[in-house]
Amino acid sequence: TSIGTSHMEMLGSRKGVAKAKGELLEALPADGVGILWAEDDYFDDLRVLCPRVRTFGMSGDADCRVTGYRAINWTTSTARLTLNGQSWDVTLPSIGRHQALNAAAALLAAVEAGVEPSAAARALENAVMPEMRLEAIQANNGTILLDSYNASPDSTVAAIKTLAEAPCTGRRLAVLGEMKELGDAEEAGHRTVGKALSESTIDLALITGGAANWIYDEARERGFPEDRMISLDRLDLERVKTFISEMRSGDALLIKGSRALELESALPKEVRR
């Protein structure tokens, strides 16, 4: 639902991503409607491709707005969504402000498809989230946030911010892996994540090497303490397993990396599928 940095290796730039996603809008029928994120950098380029446009976002200009958000625990959040002068407080089976935006997009799309707004808002509570996308798993007396389905700079920064949102009685930990398919944006993308790490409340991060070393370099250059980072020269799943096993009671640990790394294979056997 946004023009991000995924697949830039094949598409060359965010402009290329916008062009490819714009093909979906160009395929709309004459009576179709494009549901667009109002704050997207490429909003003006995308809106002209749609027969009609409805928007979601957090700004006052959006048709369906997120006007409130709060993480309850690692699996649940609440959001207030406002559409056509009506507001609904909905419970979402996931956390992250980006998920509240997705909920606003879903509500708007459902209403455009003919669903009664209150019914659409209630239905959000029963959404089934896909596996390995900020999936909360109880293990080692703490919570593992498994987000290893894939990774881009945008989704990794969002995951780092989400790690800070829910109540946590222990440490906030992270395993940050390499992000693939970034092409010429590989260094810049990893440094973007390093900046987010430097601004975060993460107590200890394991950075798994390869291009992810730029995450370490950027965070260190921005003053993030070196004793709160462990940097590996290459992906070492055994070291990741050890890191996970050293969780303490009440800790929350984010696992984030591209699909090719298969970081979920480092999970304890008793919780691995």
Side-chain angles (χ1 to χ4, degrees):
T1 55
S2 65
I3 305 305
T5 49
S6 295
H7 313 301
M8 281 177 55
E9 183 176 29
M10 284 78 77
L11 297 170
S13 63
R14 287 183 67 209
K15 186 175 182 179
V17 174
K19 184 176 183 299
K21 289 191 174 183
E23 293 170 4
L24 296 169
L25 302 174
E26 290 176 317
L28 286 169
D31 61 348
V33 57
I35 308 294
L36 303 180
W37 181 30
E39 290 95 35
D40 198 302
D41 294 340
Y42 287 85
F43 175 75
D44 289 335
D45 296 312
L46 297 174
R47 70 179 305 167
V48 298
L49 304 177
C50 305
R52 186 165 63 89
V53 173
R54 298 300 303 279
T55 60
F56 65 94
M58 294 188 175
S59 69
D61 294 334
D63 295 315
C64 187
R65 290 183 292 131
V66 178
T67 54
Y69 168 81
R70 183 167 66 95
I72 304 301
N73 51 44
W74 295 112
T75 60
T76 309
S77 62
T78 61
R80 173 165 286 188
L81 306 180
T82 300
L83 174 64
N84 298 333
Q86 290 182 280
S87 294
W88 299 270
D89 291 314
V90 299
T91 300
L92 304 176
S94 184
I95 62 172
R97 293 176 186 275
H98 58 296
Q99 294 290 22
L101 281 172
N102 286 337
L107 175 63
L108 186 55
V111 170
E112 285 293 327
V115 180
E116 195 274 323
S118 295
R122 290 193 303 271
L124 287 167
E125 300 182 7
N126 299 317
V128 178
M129 306 305 295
E131 296 176 351
M132 295 191 293
R133 292 183 185 268
L134 280 176
E135 179 182 2
I137 300 170
Q138 298 304 308
N140 297 347
N141 297 313
T143 301
I144 295 174
L145 288 177
L146 181 62
D147 200 11
S148 64
Y149 179 83
N150 213 343
S152 68
D154 301 309
S155 67
T156 304
V157 170
I160 288 172
K161 290 180 178 179
T162 300
L163 182 61
E165 291 180 352
C168 179
T169 59
R171 300 171 299 169
R172 299 177 197 268
L173 312 171
V175 175
L176 301 176
E178 185 177 1
M179 298 173 290
K180 303 285 191 180
E181 299 182 0
L182 294 180
D184 293 340
E186 183 177 60
E187 179 176 352
H190 285 88
R191 287 191 177 276
T192 295
V193 173
K195 178 178 181 292
L197 175 59
S198 73
E199 297 169 348
S200 76
T201 58
I202 290 174
D203 295 292
L204 184 63
L206 175 66
I207 300 166
T208 63
N213 286 329
W214 280 312
I215 298 175
Y216 174 85
D217 290 344
E218 186 69 21
R220 179 176 52 81
E221 290 169 11
R222 289 179 176 270
F224 194 75
E226 291 185 54
D227 61 0
R228 287 166 57 188
M229 294 186 288
I230 301 168
S231 181
L232 307 179
D233 291 333
R234 58 180 179 79
L235 175 63
D236 184 343
L237 288 175
E238 289 303 316
R239 184 64 186 88
V240 176
K241 289 179 183 178
T242 300
F243 188 76
I244 295 171
S245 71
E246 293 170 347
M247 290 177 67
R248 303 171 191 164
S249 180
D251 285 354
L253 187 154
L254 168 69
I255 300 177
K256 182 67 173 173
S258 279
R259 180 85 298 276
L261 306 184
E262 297 184 348
L263 289 174
E264 69 280 359
S265 63
L267 289 174
K269 288 183 179 179
E270 61 268 22
V271 299
R272 202 182 307 163
R273 291 183 182 81

